[in-house]
Amino acid sequence: MATSFSPTTQIFHNPNPSNTKTFSSLPSPLASSQRSFTSASHYATLKLPPTFKPFQIRRTPFVKAATIEEIEAEKASIENDVKNRMEKTIENIRSNFNSIRTGRSYPAMLDKIEVEYYGSPVSLKSIAQISTPDASSLLVQPYDKSSLKAIEKAIVSSDVGMTPNNDGEVIRLSIPLLTSDRRKELSKIVAKQAEEGKVALRNIRRDALRAYEKLEKEKKLSEDNAKDLSSDLQKLTDEYMKKVETIYKQKEKELLTV
């Protein structure tokens, strides 16, 4: 007849079914209490305590160390990201300054104007040639004359502060003279935009420092290497700060020159 076993039951073969014995001297961890065997046919059951747990082997996870090439690639990626973002910051400052008129005409004054052309917004300079016949006027000559009305509408709705004159062939714009008070107001706007650019540069520097600190914590950079990179980063930041200051001084001089 078959014998039923509990889930914690271990099965041992009993070569002599006529014998039933009680064992009290089993190896640890079974030696702490008496264990009993009962025979049934040629098998015996061993009842284990509920606290008994089988031995488990713990495996230490394998961690792959970064190679020198991988570390150098990460450093180069951070440096390239910093330079690209700082260059874009300079470009944005130039673009903002160009959109502020100074009393003298130059094509970049219309750089930010977008025209609805065949259902899609496009930059004015991509669909028209912009020139300066003299120091106080602009000439807009579209490549497609059917876009004249759309260009005129875009200029009127923009913040350039000029009234377009559409003669059916080209659009002429006259640059109004700036008053002394208006020049001072624009100078303050330019100074604010320059300061915003410097803040952007500092934020880029902060992000790069955090990236270097992360590499140092991961043991990919030594403390000395991290300090050297931080020093180089500061020199690069100072270089771009000077660029912002130079652009700002040039624009301020244009605004204040009558």
Side-chain angles (χ1 to χ4, degrees):
M1 182 176 66
T3 302
S4 60
F5 301 96
S6 64
T8 58
T9 299
Q10 303 291 328
I11 302 175
F12 297 86
H13 179 65
N14 185 356
N16 190 355
S18 62
N19 294 334
T20 299
K21 296 182 181 181
T22 299
F23 296 88
S24 59
S25 58
L26 295 175
S28 179
L30 304 179
S32 59
S33 60
Q34 195 177 61
R35 308 291 185 266
S36 64
F37 289 84
T38 59
S39 64
S41 183
H42 293 331
Y43 297 91
T45 61
L46 170 62
K47 295 182 179 179
L48 302 177
T51 57
F52 176 78
K53 294 182 179 179
F55 296 104
Q56 296 180 351
I57 299 176
R58 292 186 178 180
R59 296 183 178 180
T60 303
F62 176 74
V63 179
K64 180 184 177 182
T67 64
I68 295 176
E69 290 78 9
E70 290 172 338
I71 295 172
E72 290 298 324
E74 287 191 62
K75 287 166 54 180
S77 176
I78 295 171
E79 292 169 1
N80 290 335
D81 180 65
V82 168
K83 290 180 180 179
N84 290 337
R85 291 174 63 189
M86 286 189 175
E87 279 295 334
K88 287 181 180 179
T89 299
I90 297 298
E91 291 174 8
N92 288 337
I93 294 173
R94 290 185 188 277
S95 178
N96 289 336
F97 284 1
N98 287 338
S99 65
I100 298 176
R101 60 188 181 87
T102 60
R104 295 182 62 85
S105 61
Y106 50 95
M109 295 175 70
L110 306 181
D111 276 356
K112 287 192 172 184
I113 295 180
E114 289 192 340
V115 182
E116 192 73 18
Y117 187 63
Y118 288 102
S120 300
V122 296
S123 63
L124 173 59
K125 61 183 180 181
S126 68
I127 62 172
Q129 181 181 354
I130 304 171
S131 58
T132 54
D134 53 60
S136 60
S137 65
L138 287 170
L139 185 67
V140 181
Q141 186 171 5
Y143 302 125
D144 178 8
K145 291 183 180 180
S146 66
S147 64
L148 270 171
K149 286 291 183 181
I151 293 174
E152 182 180 8
K153 181 180 178 181
I155 294 173
V156 171
S157 60
S158 70
D159 58 355
V160 295
M162 292 179 282
T163 302
N165 180 14
N166 183 359
D167 65 2
E169 295 289 334
V170 296
I171 292 177
R172 290 181 173 82
L173 300 167
S174 296
I175 313 299
L177 295 176
L178 296 176
T179 64
S180 177
D181 290 341
R182 181 56 178 165
R183 290 177 186 276
K184 290 178 181 179
E185 289 176 7
L186 293 176
S187 181
K188 290 179 181 179
I189 293 174
V190 168
K192 182 181 178 182
Q193 291 178 348
E195 184 56 35
E196 289 173 350
K198 291 179 180 179
V199 170
L201 293 176
R202 294 188 192 103
N203 289 340
I204 296 169
R205 173 182 173 274
R206 177 202 61 200
D207 293 343
L209 286 175
R210 288 177 178 174
Y212 289 145
E213 288 172 2
K214 183 175 180 291
L215 291 179
E216 185 180 357
K217 287 180 180 178
E218 294 174 349
K219 306 301 182 183
K220 294 180 179 179
L221 287 179
S222 67
E223 184 178 352
D224 290 340
N225 284 339
K227 287 181 179 179
D228 290 342
L229 289 172
S230 298
S231 177
D232 292 341
L233 177 62
Q234 184 60 56
K235 291 177 183 177
L236 183 65
T237 305
D238 292 341
E239 178 184 334
Y240 277 89
M241 287 287 191
K242 289 179 181 178
K243 288 184 180 182
V244 173
E245 192 65 22
T246 299
I247 298 170
Y248 164 64
K249 290 297 183 183
Q250 290 175 347
K251 189 64 179 182
E252 184 183 44
K253 184 179 179 180
E254 290 178 10
L255 284 170
L256 299 179
T257 300
V258 180

